[in-house]
Amino acid sequence: MTHLVTHDDPEGFLHAYLDGELDPINTLALEARLARDPRLAAELARLETLQRMIRESLPREAPPAALRARIESAVGVGRRREFSWRALAAAVAVAAVVAGGSGALLTGATATELVRREVVGGHIRAVKAGRPVDVASADGRVVQPWFEGRHSAAPHVVDLATAGFPLLGARLDVVNETAVPTLVYRDGTHLISVTTVPVAAGAALAPVHSRLGGYNVTRWIENGDCYWVVSDVAVDDLDRFTRAFRTVDDG
């Protein structure tokens, strides 16, 4: 049975959350707790800093080929997997219990996780394709009108050049089969995507951090929109960008 984040032990889920290993239900529950618990949010920030320091001090080394071969042999990689009705029955039972007891929560959590994956996927595709923007300009007066006729509502283009994040341009991404606007900024040689996804309802949400596929992700909700910021920059740099973006936007 799925073990849900509780008010008694939310810290036990922080490591899995940072590694992108938390299931959708617990991801949503933990993010809600982080938004209203400054102490828990501070602990998450401390773990993010510690994780980054470890990565910088102890870079990963590829395992020897012989070791990998032994591990694959031990776990049966490459062997034909037998279908297991018992495993299928267990999976169906878990899904039934979760859906029956937490239908609304399951729907919301799944939707949030799907959006996160599609937003990160859009960033990766744009960067890997070598064409991160559809319209290239550092001038918001050029970028914002470009969305007219392409999207129902143009995003508010924030000028962050003085904060060290010059605007590169913008593009259209697709989330849940719907076109959404994405602004693209630079941080040195790194790119930062800001995708705006409208939300049907819900209170404002303070910035929440996560990781997916090696990318740092920050999201928050305000004025009926959910902002998703994706980049491979360090967490501290993404925090700095988020603060600058929200400060200028609020101004």
Side-chain angles (χ1 to χ4, degrees):
M1 182 174 179
T2 303
H3 182 48
L4 300 178
V5 173
T6 65
H7 294 286
D8 300 327
D9 184 33
E11 294 184 8
F13 293 83
L14 291 180
H15 287 283
Y17 179 77
L18 280 174
D19 294 335
E21 297 174 352
L22 205 57
D23 61 90
I25 294 176
N26 281 315
T27 294
L28 187 66
L30 185 60
E31 287 180 350
R33 179 65 182 269
L34 285 165
R36 65 176 186 272
D37 189 337
R39 186 191 63 79
L40 187 64
E43 176 62 14
L44 177 64
R46 186 189 71 81
L47 291 175
E48 288 176 332
T49 301
L50 178 61
Q51 189 180 70
R52 185 176 65 258
M53 291 174 62
I54 292 175
R55 285 198 302 268
E56 294 172 351
S57 302
L58 300 172
R60 291 184 177 181
E61 295 183 1
L67 175 60
R68 178 174 179 175
R70 288 200 301 270
I71 293 175
E72 291 180 346
S73 176
V75 300
V77 172
R79 298 176 188 170
R80 181 181 177 183
R81 296 186 178 182
E82 297 296 331
F83 181 78
S84 171
W85 283 105
R86 181 176 296 179
L88 177 60
V92 171
V94 169
V97 170
V98 173
S102 311
L105 180 59
L106 178 62
T107 302
T110 301
T112 300
E113 179 61 19
L114 287 176
V115 171
R116 184 174 76 133
R117 292 184 179 277
E118 291 192 349
V119 168
V120 172
H123 174 84
I124 295 174
R125 284 191 297 273
V127 172
K128 298 299 184 184
R131 187 182 175 184
V133 296
D134 294 328
V135 55
S137 177
D139 190 345
R141 294 170 296 181
V142 173
V143 172
Q144 193 156 357
W146 178 84
F147 285 99
E148 295 180 4
R150 294 180 173 87
H151 193 265
S152 58
H156 178 51
V157 181
V158 179
D159 184 358
L160 299 178
T162 57
F165 304 103
L167 178 67
L168 180 64
R171 68 174 182 268
L172 283 177
D173 282 327
V174 177
V175 172
N176 194 24
E177 301 182 354
T178 302
V180 293
T182 296
L183 302 175
V184 182
Y185 295 83
R186 280 194 181 278
D187 181 18
T189 60
H190 302 275
L191 299 181
I192 301 175
S193 294
V194 183
T195 301
T196 305
V197 180
V199 291
L205 175 69
V208 176
H209 305 287
S210 63
R211 280 183 63 82
L212 181 64
Y215 291 86
N216 286 312
V217 183
T218 298
R219 76 179 179 97
W220 71 90
I221 298 175
E222 60 180 317
N223 300 324
D225 287 317
C226 184
Y227 293 85
W228 293 84
V229 183
V230 183
S231 183
D232 61 351
V233 299
V235 173
D236 289 346
D237 292 329
L238 201 64
D239 284 344
R240 189 163 53 87
F241 173 86
T242 300
R243 287 194 299 270
F245 188 96
R246 299 188 76 205
T247 300
V248 175
D249 199 23
D250 290 341

